[in-house]
């Protein structure tokens, strides 16, 4: 399961058939560098299994009381009800630029923004005027165009959104991944691709949307938006 910074997943694990004393590891197969999509071992080398590849160790022990849990095959999970028709589609951009004062020193600046009429990115900084201002109660589709070489976990505050699909230039639209079928507040935007999200903005106020990579959101990859 692919999961990025700030994403969460509810996972049901059945240990009933695992022998007592077995040691299991939850591992990270993502790369020890900027993620650009693809499969571990094919498109990139996974994280070091001796260090950054390890997340959690689990040891299976003997039952100390009757097992009253429900087997996964008998669980009844709630159905997902998709959001209604959107009243507006917004075209947003993810960009990166060199430092203005010292172009060859320090990290590149990561910026959110909009698109112009020709589809070119219009990068904006935190202090630029608000460009995303949904009406209270409006349902909108946000098309996030990633012009960078990295995947970015995009987080929209105060709403739970639905991931609709993704599309790379010249390729067919790809539906949301199986683990993205429910409501989310963070989704991965792949490089050179459009990620489409749908949300209902049901709470008035001033909030933010941003990349959840700490070094990115602290380097201008965060924008305010206003509901109402």
């Amino acid at each position: 399961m692919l999961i990025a910074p700030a994403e969460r997943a509810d996972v049901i694990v059945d240990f009933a058939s695992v022998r007592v004393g077995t040691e299991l590891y939850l591992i990270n197969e993502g790369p020890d560098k900027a993620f650009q999509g693809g499969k571990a071992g094919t498109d990139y080398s996974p994280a070091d299994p001796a260090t950054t590849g390890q997340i959690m160790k689990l040891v299976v022990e003997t039952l100390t009381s009757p097992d009253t849990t429900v087997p996964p095959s008998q669980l009844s999970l709630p159905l997902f009800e998709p959001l209604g028709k959107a009243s507006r589609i917004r075209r947003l951009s993810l960009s990166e630029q060199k430092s203005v004062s010292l172009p060859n020193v320090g990290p590149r600046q990561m910026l959110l923004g909009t698109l112009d009429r020709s589809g070119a990115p219009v990068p904006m900084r935190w202090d630029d005027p608000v460009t995303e201002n949904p009406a209270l109660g409006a349902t909108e589709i946000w098309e996030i165009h990633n012009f960078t070489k990295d995947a970015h976990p995009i987080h929209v505050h105060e709403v739970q959104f639905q991931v609709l699909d993704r599309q790379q230039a010249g390729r067919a639209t790809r539906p949301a991944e199986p683990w993205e079928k429910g409501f989310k507040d963070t989704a991965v935007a792949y490089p050179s691709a459009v990620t489409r999200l749908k949300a209902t903005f049901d709470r008035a106020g001033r909030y933010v949307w941003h990349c959840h990579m700490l070094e990115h959101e602290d380097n201008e990859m965060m924008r305010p938006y206003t509901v109402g």
Side-chain angles (χ1 to χ4, degrees):
M1 180 175 59
L2 180 68
I3 189 166
E7 285 194 288
R8 302 170 304 283
D10 292 325
V11 181
I12 301 169
V13 184
D14 186 0
F15 294 97
S17 62
V18 181
R19 181 172 52 84
V20 172
T22 301
E23 296 181 353
L24 303 172
Y25 289 87
L26 179 63
I27 63 172
N28 170 33
E29 292 185 344
D32 282 329
K33 60 180 181 180
F35 181 66
Q36 297 179 332
K39 295 182 179 180
T42 301
D43 302 298
Y44 60 84
S45 298
D48 184 350
T51 55
T52 51
Q54 295 185 19
I55 297 176
M56 183 185 298
K57 178 181 178 180
L58 303 101
V59 179
V60 179
E61 296 188 350
T62 305
L63 279 173
T64 57
S65 61
D67 181 6
T68 59
T69 57
V70 179
S73 60
Q74 299 177 23
L75 286 172
S76 178
L77 300 178
L79 296 176
F80 173 69
E81 296 185 8
L83 297 172
K85 185 178 180 180
S87 60
R88 179 168 181 170
I89 298 176
R90 295 183 188 269
R91 301 168 72 207
L92 309 173
S93 64
L94 313 180
S95 305
E96 61 180 2
Q97 296 178 349
K98 290 184 178 181
S99 171
V100 176
S101 56
L102 298 170
N104 296 316
V105 177
R108 296 173 66 86
Q109 192 172 49
M110 315 303 291
L111 300 171
L112 305 177
T114 59
L115 271 67
D116 63 17
R117 292 178 180 270
S118 65
V122 181
M124 295 183 175
R125 291 171 172 76
W126 170 258
D127 290 332
D128 288 329
V130 169
T131 50
E132 290 70 58
N133 53 351
L136 181 61
T139 298
E140 296 189 351
I141 293 175
W142 286 18
E143 290 187 347
I144 301 174
H145 297 246
N146 187 353
F147 293 90
T148 78
K149 296 180 181 180
D150 303 332
H152 299 274
I154 298 301
H155 176 44
V156 185
H157 281 218
E158 291 303 315
V159 295
Q160 294 284 301
F161 56 70
Q162 177 184 352
V163 179
L164 298 180
D165 53 47
R166 295 180 176 87
Q167 185 173 20
Q168 289 186 306
R171 298 186 181 182
T173 300
R174 205 157 49 97
E177 302 290 354
W179 54 85
E180 295 179 315
K181 297 301 185 181
F183 283 111
K184 296 175 60 63
D185 59 25
T186 305
V188 179
Y190 292 107
S192 304
V194 180
T195 302
R196 295 183 180 89
L197 314 175
K198 180 189 282 189
T200 297
F201 298 87
D202 57 358
R203 182 174 298 181
R206 186 178 176 92
Y207 310 110
V208 297
W209 68 285
H210 61 93
C211 171
H212 227 296
M213 297 292 289
L214 184 60
E215 61 270 35
H216 291 181
E217 63 179 291
D218 282 356
N219 195 22
E220 291 293 318
M221 206 170 193
M222 181 182 289
R223 288 278 294 149
Y225 80 94
T226 302
V227 178

